[in-house]
Amino acid sequence: MPLSEDELFLLSFYRSSEINGSLFFGRLARALKPGPIQHDLTKHFADEAQHAWYWTECIDQLGSRPIKLADAYQDRYLEAVGLPMNVMEVLAITLVFERRVINQYAKHLAVPHLQPEIGATINRIMEDERWHVQWVRDALVDLEPRFGKDHIDATLKRYRQADQDVYAQALVEYEGRLGFLSPSPTDTDRTDDR
Amino acid sequence: MTTVTTDDIRRKVADILDVPEAKVSPDAVLTDLVTDSFRLVELAIELQEHYDVLFGQEDMKDLHTVHDLAALVSARVVE
C-alpha cells in the first residue's frame, strides 16, 4: 500500500530530524576532548545518521521518495530555549529531546494497520533510542560535580517545559497531517526531571 | 596564571571556524562569522575544552563580538 501524503510528510520529518541530529552531534564529537562523553557522543552521532538511512530506505521500500524539508524539530527547540552553550546544556536538551522522540515513535507504533516496514523501522530505531537516553542520563550524573546537581535539574526542568510548549505548538500546526496518529498513554507529561 | 588575550581568541576562533584570521577582528560580530547557529555551539564548546573554562547560556546574552568572547574567556581563566 503506498504512503499517504501525510505519512510521507511525517516519515520525511523523522528523516530530516535524524539528519540534523547527526550533523549536530558529529560536530560536537569533533569538538570534544577524548573521554567517555566524546566516545558515546560519537556513537550517538553514528546512530542518528543510521536512523536517517533507515527512514530513507523505508520510504523507498514503500514506493516513495523523501520530501526535502528545511525545518527540523530541533530547530524549534533552539528557537524556544536558545542555543546550548556547554556540554551539560547540550546533554540536557538531548535527554529531553530523546524522550520526546521515544514518545513520538511509540505513538506511531500504536497506529492501527501500521505498515510493517514502518513498524520495523521504528522498532529498529527504538533500540538505539533507549541507549541514547541511558548514556545521556548517566553522563549528566557524572557531570554533577562540575556543574552542580541543582543547576542540572533546573536546566532539565526549563528544557522540559520548552519541549512541552514546542510539541503542543507542533501538534496544532500539523493537526491535519498528524490526525492519523492515535493518542498514546506514553505521551503524558513527565513529572520527573531525570 | 594563564592569560588569554584577544589575539589568542582571534586565532583560535579563526582556527575553529576555518575562516581567515583577518576576518576575525575584535569588533567582528560572532553571528556574522558562522554559517549557522550550530557553529556557535561548536565554537563555544571547543573554546571551553581548549581553555578548560565553563560558560553557559546565561553568559551568551551579552556576548556579541569577538572582543566580548575574549573578555569572557579571559575572566573565566582567571577565576
Side-chain angles (χ1 to χ4, degrees), chain A residues 6 11 38 49 63-64 72 83 152 176:
Chain A
D6 292 341
L11 302 193
Q38 185 208 54
S64 294
L83 291 172
I152 294 174

PDB file of all heavy atoms in Angstrom, chain A residues 6 11 38 49 63-64 72 83 152 176:
ATOM      1  N   ASP A   6       0.224  12.440   4.094  1.00  0.00           N
ATOM      2  CA  ASP A   6       0.539  12.780   5.490  1.00  0.00           C
ATOM      3  C   ASP A   6       1.614  11.865   6.072  1.00  0.00           C
ATOM      4  O   ASP A   6       2.500  12.309   6.805  1.00  0.00           O
ATOM      5  CB  ASP A   6      -0.729  12.701   6.353  1.00  0.00           C
ATOM      6  CG  ASP A   6      -1.716  13.796   6.003  1.00  0.00           C
ATOM      7  OD1 ASP A   6      -1.293  14.793   5.379  1.00  0.00           O
ATOM      8  OD2 ASP A   6      -2.907  13.643   6.346  1.00  0.00           O
ATOM      9  N   LEU A  11       7.209  10.750   7.860  1.00  0.00           N
ATOM     10  CA  LEU A  11       8.436   9.957   7.753  1.00  0.00           C
ATOM     11  C   LEU A  11       9.600  10.827   7.256  1.00  0.00           C
ATOM     12  O   LEU A  11      10.742  10.668   7.697  1.00  0.00           O
ATOM     13  CB  LEU A  11       8.240   8.761   6.806  1.00  0.00           C
ATOM     14  CG  LEU A  11       7.129   7.758   7.153  1.00  0.00           C
ATOM     15  CD1 LEU A  11       7.281   6.490   6.315  1.00  0.00           C
ATOM     16  CD2 LEU A  11       7.092   7.414   8.632  1.00  0.00           C
ATOM     17  N   GLN A  38      32.902  12.028  24.740  1.00  0.00           N
ATOM     18  CA  GLN A  38      33.274  12.025  23.323  1.00  0.00           C
ATOM     19  C   GLN A  38      32.988  10.648  22.706  1.00  0.00           C
ATOM     20  O   GLN A  38      32.475  10.540  21.579  1.00  0.00           O
ATOM     21  CB  GLN A  38      34.764  12.359  23.165  1.00  0.00           C
ATOM     22  CG  GLN A  38      35.199  12.486  21.715  1.00  0.00           C
ATOM     23  CD  GLN A  38      36.674  12.140  21.525  1.00  0.00           C
ATOM     24  OE1 GLN A  38      37.132  11.059  21.923  1.00  0.00           O
ATOM     25  NE2 GLN A  38      37.409  13.067  20.934  1.00  0.00           N
ATOM     26  N   ALA A  49      22.771   9.138  12.146  1.00  0.00           N
ATOM     27  CA  ALA A  49      22.989   9.046  10.692  1.00  0.00           C
ATOM     28  C   ALA A  49      22.367   7.752  10.155  1.00  0.00           C
ATOM     29  O   ALA A  49      21.723   7.739   9.095  1.00  0.00           O
ATOM     30  CB  ALA A  49      24.482   9.091  10.385  1.00  0.00           C
ATOM     31  N   GLY A  63       7.751   2.789  -1.864  1.00  0.00           N
ATOM     32  CA  GLY A  63       7.488   3.328  -3.195  1.00  0.00           C
ATOM     33  C   GLY A  63       7.487   4.838  -3.298  1.00  0.00           C
ATOM     34  O   GLY A  63       6.953   5.385  -4.276  1.00  0.00           O
ATOM     35  N   SER A  64       8.081   5.528  -2.305  1.00  0.00           N
ATOM     36  CA  SER A  64       8.099   6.993  -2.374  1.00  0.00           C
ATOM     37  C   SER A  64       9.528   7.508  -2.279  1.00  0.00           C
ATOM     38  O   SER A  64      10.479   6.737  -2.166  1.00  0.00           O
ATOM     39  CB  SER A  64       7.270   7.590  -1.233  1.00  0.00           C
ATOM     40  OG  SER A  64       5.912   7.262  -1.385  1.00  0.00           O
ATOM     41  N   ALA A  72      13.492  21.363  10.881  1.00  0.00           N
ATOM     42  CA  ALA A  72      13.561  20.132  11.672  1.00  0.00           C
ATOM     43  C   ALA A  72      13.082  20.465  13.078  1.00  0.00           C
ATOM     44  O   ALA A  72      13.123  21.615  13.512  1.00  0.00           O
ATOM     45  CB  ALA A  72      14.976  19.577  11.710  1.00  0.00           C
ATOM     46  N   LEU A  83      20.404  28.668  22.246  1.00  0.00           N
ATOM     47  CA  LEU A  83      21.447  27.691  21.943  1.00  0.00           C
ATOM     48  C   LEU A  83      22.068  27.156  23.225  1.00  0.00           C
ATOM     49  O   LEU A  83      22.411  27.940  24.117  1.00  0.00           O
ATOM     50  CB  LEU A  83      22.550  28.352  21.116  1.00  0.00           C
ATOM     51  CG  LEU A  83      22.204  28.751  19.690  1.00  0.00           C
ATOM     52  CD1 LEU A  83      23.359  29.562  19.100  1.00  0.00           C
ATOM     53  CD2 LEU A  83      21.924  27.538  18.833  1.00  0.00           C
ATOM     54  N   ILE A 152      21.838  21.412  37.082  1.00  0.00           N
ATOM     55  CA  ILE A 152      21.460  20.467  36.026  1.00  0.00           C
ATOM     56  C   ILE A 152      19.947  20.210  36.069  1.00  0.00           C
ATOM     57  O   ILE A 152      19.268  20.217  35.030  1.00  0.00           O
ATOM     58  CB  ILE A 152      22.255  19.142  36.160  1.00  0.00           C
ATOM     59  CG1 ILE A 152      23.747  19.392  35.894  1.00  0.00           C
ATOM     60  CG2 ILE A 152      21.713  18.082  35.199  1.00  0.00           C
ATOM     61  CD1 ILE A 152      24.638  18.190  36.134  1.00  0.00           C
ATOM     62  N   GLY A 176      -3.746  18.614  10.914  1.00  0.00           N
ATOM     63  CA  GLY A 176      -4.303  17.884   9.785  1.00  0.00           C
ATOM     64  C   GLY A 176      -3.450  16.700   9.383  1.00  0.00           C
ATOM     65  O   GLY A 176      -3.948  15.608   9.127  1.00  0.00           O
TER      66      GLY A 176
END
